[in-house]
Amino acid sequence: MRHEISSLNFEQALSSFFALRGEDGYLAIQNHAWNLLEVRTRLTTVVERVGAQLGVPAQLVDGPWYLHLMGQCYKGGPRGGLALMITCDPAERIEIPGAGYSFGDLVFALSLGDFDAMLSRGRPVIRSHLTGHPEQALENWNPWSRRL
């Protein structure tokens, strides 16, 4: 799948990805982006709209903290789900004392590890990385703008 969609624009890539859904499937939007109320509110709207357009149950999960509770469902549970992972550049860089990296670096590394784990198990997953200020990035990131 990675090679089939790598040359497409964002909207085409999402359409190709969402075409993989099955009748008994589901969509998990994994939010590894900013931990802000306005981001969560916006993504909740995305989940509702995209799930309705696709005709499948959809769920928003916040990562990487969801990994302990639900991560195994996406990596090792029943097949049929699609995972749309959203990552971002951190809004601010907060260093972990003595570690040589920041909390944002840690969250990003955890998200990439989860992404690779799903890929290695043959699970359909796509990642969208947001940059810039959260409000502007979400305004430009608009997967529900057209019929998927």
Side-chain angles (χ1 to χ4, degrees):
M1 181 70 184
R2 179 179 285 180
H3 301 291
E4 294 173 19
I5 67 171
S6 64
S7 63
L8 303 176
N9 69 36
F10 181 63
E11 186 176 307
Q12 292 169 329
L14 280 179
S15 292
S16 295
F17 178 69
F18 290 146
L20 298 173
R21 72 188 179 283
E23 287 184 28
D24 294 331
Y26 63 89
L27 171 66
I29 296 184
Q30 300 172 343
N31 175 27
H32 291 258
W34 305 280
N35 188 17
L36 303 169
L37 178 59
E38 48 280 12
V39 171
R40 187 146 193 14
T41 300
R42 183 74 176 263
L43 291 177
T44 298
T45 302
V46 171
V47 169
E48 292 168 359
R49 289 184 182 175
V50 173
Q53 284 184 12
L54 296 176
V56 297
Q59 177 183 29
L60 175 64
V61 292
D62 292 311
W65 28 96
Y66 84 92
L67 293 173
H68 177 69
L69 298 173
M70 300 188 65
Q72 298 307 314
C73 295
Y74 303 125
K75 291 179 278 204
R79 294 194 176 271
L82 301 175
L84 168 59
M85 181 181 287
I86 304 162
T87 58
C88 70
D89 290 340
E92 62 181 312
R93 187 166 177 85
I94 302 171
E95 295 293 324
I96 298 174
Y101 51 87
S102 71
F103 284 102
D105 295 333
L106 177 60
V107 169
F108 189 63
L110 288 168
S111 66
L112 292 181
D114 197 43
F115 184 84
D116 286 344
M118 286 186 279
L119 278 180
S120 71
R121 288 171 175 81
R123 304 301 172 118
V125 59
I126 192 169
R127 184 173 66 88
S128 178
H129 188 80
L130 306 177
T131 60
H133 188 273
E135 285 182 26
Q136 183 180 14
L138 284 174
E139 187 63 35
N140 294 332
W141 185 82
N142 199 358
W144 62 90
S145 63
R146 293 188 174 81
R147 185 109 180 116
L148 302 170

